[in-house]
Amino acid sequence: MDFGLTEEQKMIVETTRAFVETELYPHEQAVERSNHLPLELIREIQQKAMAAGLYAANMPEEVGGAGLDTLTWLLYEKELGRANYALHWTCVARPSNILLAGNAEQREQYLMPCIRGETWDCLAMTEPGAGSDLRGMKATARQDGDDWVLNGTKHFISHADMAGFAIVFVATGEEDTPRGPKKKITAFFVDKGTPGFTVRDGYRNVSHRGYTNAVLEFDDCRVNKRQILGDVHKGFEVANSWLGATRLQVASTCLGRAERALGHALTYAAERKQFGQQIGKFQGISFKLADMAMELKAAELLTREAAWKYDQGTVTEADMSMAKLKATEVLAMVADEAIQIHGGMGLMDELPLERIWRDSRVERIWEGTSEIQRHIISRELLRPLGA
């Protein structure tokens, strides 16, 4: 594995970082304080992102994306991750890779408008009673001729208020397995405005202000069989095939924020004086900085290796879980220590540190909790031994 970056990768990193610092940073404080991202601001930044070639960069070239390999895509995600989440996720949008699983008609109807910036997608899996245990979902769909009728509730659905449609995972049957009955899951495209489909305001979140979540309710919501994504009863197979790299995406955005926090801590330690010298000369501070840098490097290496293996076709679930677990926990540590180094000033919203600290908390929960990641890693270690 070559740890150096190509000239193209360096250019993408520099271009993305410059865009983030110029176009996103200036709006962070307003979004943080209002917990709102105005549509006119979204459209303004969106157009600039398109002009810079950064919009939908995760997509293949044949559908209008940048055609980046996984490692380069994650370098791009890391730079975007430095900024307020609502700003970079909404204004420099990356349509979900799962849209590529659609057939030609579905790609034209759902994928292409997202790539053109005309709408956004959202994924609806989580329910009030089914988080880590997705097989425990209670939302269902029953077949009625050429239609399917959906009933149930989803929550914690990111930016569903803005999305033009949802990709909804529901139970469509049950099968017997050696470990007991198991629900069969199917994914459906459901357009906003479909009778029986209601989007309600979600919860106010301590993390990622301006990045909304919603509750989706389905009451005899009727969709045609043409709106099935993949095959009937094969929703998890579709998700596993097309959503696997999302854990690496989370890892990368966490690395960007951790690097930003470390940068602030280093500058402050080099400039702030107490007892006649820069505080960075005290071991109580300098050792913190050393540990922050070391742990951040370890998380970055884990993430880069997993990205490289993903492109080689050799990545394992444990590889991606290790990267996600390490990066999210390192972000929490670096954010906390950066605030400690700044003292009381670190908690003031004139600096981004208190935001990074708050935002870090959700990263150990969504896209699989830290406990789920440890379960995946230990399972992969023990299975070859028959345990």
Side-chain angles (χ1 to χ4, degrees):
M1 180 179 179
D2 183 358
F3 289 93
L5 300 185
T6 66
E7 290 305 312
E8 180 186 15
Q9 288 171 332
K10 291 177 184 177
M11 181 188 69
I12 289 171
V13 167
E14 292 169 2
T15 300
T16 309
R17 182 176 300 186
F19 186 90
V20 167
E21 292 176 351
T22 303
E23 304 296 342
L24 303 188
Y25 281 4
H27 302 289
E28 285 183 320
Q29 199 167 70
V31 173
E32 287 293 323
R33 291 178 176 178
S34 68
N35 196 30
H36 176 63
L37 186 56
L39 182 59
E40 58 270 21
L41 178 61
I42 294 172
R43 293 304 187 192
E44 176 188 335
I45 299 175
Q46 182 186 59
Q47 292 303 311
K48 293 178 180 178
M50 289 180 174
L54 298 177
Y55 201 85
N58 61 311
M59 287 286 146
E61 288 182 300
E62 59 265 27
V63 295
L68 304 179
D69 59 72
T70 305
L71 177 57
T72 307
W73 167 55
L74 293 179
L75 292 170
Y76 154 86
E77 291 289 346
K78 177 186 171 185
E79 296 308 316
L80 291 176
R82 295 173 181 274
N84 164 282
Y85 202 88
L87 281 165
H88 79 73
W89 188 261
T90 312
C91 304
V92 194
R94 286 86 79 204
S96 175
N97 285 0
I98 201 171
L99 293 171
L100 293 167
N103 57 37
E105 179 183 348
Q106 291 169 340
R107 284 191 177 197
E108 189 60 36
Q109 184 175 353
Y110 296 108
L111 171 62
M112 298 313 297
C114 290
I115 290 177
R116 292 191 296 265
E118 297 166 5
T119 191
W120 293 265
D121 63 279
C122 69
L123 291 174
M125 291 189 183
T126 306
E127 298 180 5
S132 296
D133 179 22
L134 288 173
R135 291 282 186 184
M137 65 175 61
K138 292 182 170 56
T140 62
R142 59 177 176 81
Q143 191 168 10
D144 182 16
D146 285 342
D147 292 342
W148 288 77
V149 182
L150 279 63
N151 282 283
T153 301
K154 301 289 182 179
H155 78 161
F156 295 159
I157 310 307
S158 297
H159 55 79
D161 57 328
M162 298 181 60
F165 63 93
I167 301 170
V168 185
F169 291 77
V170 293
T172 49
E174 198 170 74
E175 61 182 337
D176 291 324
T177 73
R179 300 178 64 180
K182 184 173 72 173
K183 290 179 180 176
K184 298 177 181 179
I185 306 298
T186 304
F188 293 87
F189 288 105
V190 185
D191 297 302
K192 189 173 285 185
T194 301
F197 175 26
T198 304
V199 179
R200 302 195 185 282
D201 289 341
Y203 315 98
R204 185 175 175 87
N205 187 0
V206 69
S207 299
H208 300 319
R209 288 178 182 165
Y211 185 76
T212 58
N213 68 84
V215 176
L216 310 188
E217 295 177 350
F218 301 91
D219 183 10
D220 285 341
C221 176
R222 185 176 292 269
V223 298
N224 190 267
K225 64 180 181 181
R226 295 192 306 273
Q227 291 167 256
I228 294 173
L229 177 60
D231 296 321
V232 175
H233 306 322
K234 300 296 183 181
F236 272 142
E237 286 81 348
V238 173
N240 289 336
S241 296
W242 292 98
L243 295 178
T246 54
R247 275 173 278 163
L248 297 183
Q249 184 179 40
V250 170
S252 294
T253 55
C254 286
L255 292 175
R257 258 170 285 148
E259 196 170 273
R260 185 179 179 187
L262 176 58
H264 277 277
L266 285 168
T267 299
Y268 192 76
E271 295 176 352
R272 171 72 165 168
K273 288 186 177 181
Q274 290 285 276
F275 306 104
Q277 64 179 10
Q278 292 98 333
I279 63 172
K281 292 183 178 180
F282 294 105
Q283 286 186 351
I285 301 298
S286 63
F287 284 10
K288 287 182 187 295
L289 294 169
D291 287 342
M292 292 158 74
M294 177 180 63
E295 293 298 324
L296 182 53
K297 175 66 72 175
E300 181 150 28
L301 289 172
L302 273 173
T303 304
R304 287 197 185 187
E305 183 200 34
W308 178 80
K309 291 175 76 173
Y310 197 95
D311 284 331
Q312 305 304 309
T314 59
V315 73
T316 66
E317 291 293 313
D319 291 328
M320 293 187 285
S321 288
M322 286 181 186
K324 197 266 184 183
L325 177 63
K326 183 66 174 177
T328 55
E329 297 200 342
V330 165
L331 171 59
M333 183 274 282
V334 169
D336 193 71
E337 293 286 43
I339 287 176
Q340 194 70 19
I341 289 169
H342 280 76
M345 197 62 205
L347 290 168
M348 303 301 113
D349 73 357
E350 281 76 11
L351 293 174
L353 296 178
E354 61 88 22
R355 170 181 63 79
I356 293 172
W357 179 60
R358 280 187 288 102
D359 290 351
S360 72
R361 193 60 192 87
V362 74
E363 307 295 353
R364 288 173 282 161
I365 296 174
W366 66 3
E367 295 299 337
T369 64
S370 293
E371 291 73 22
I372 287 294
Q373 306 310 326
R374 287 184 166 91
H375 168 70
I376 292 170
I377 295 164
S378 61
R379 181 183 64 191
E380 199 162 299
L381 290 171
L382 290 167
R383 270 183 175 172
L385 304 177

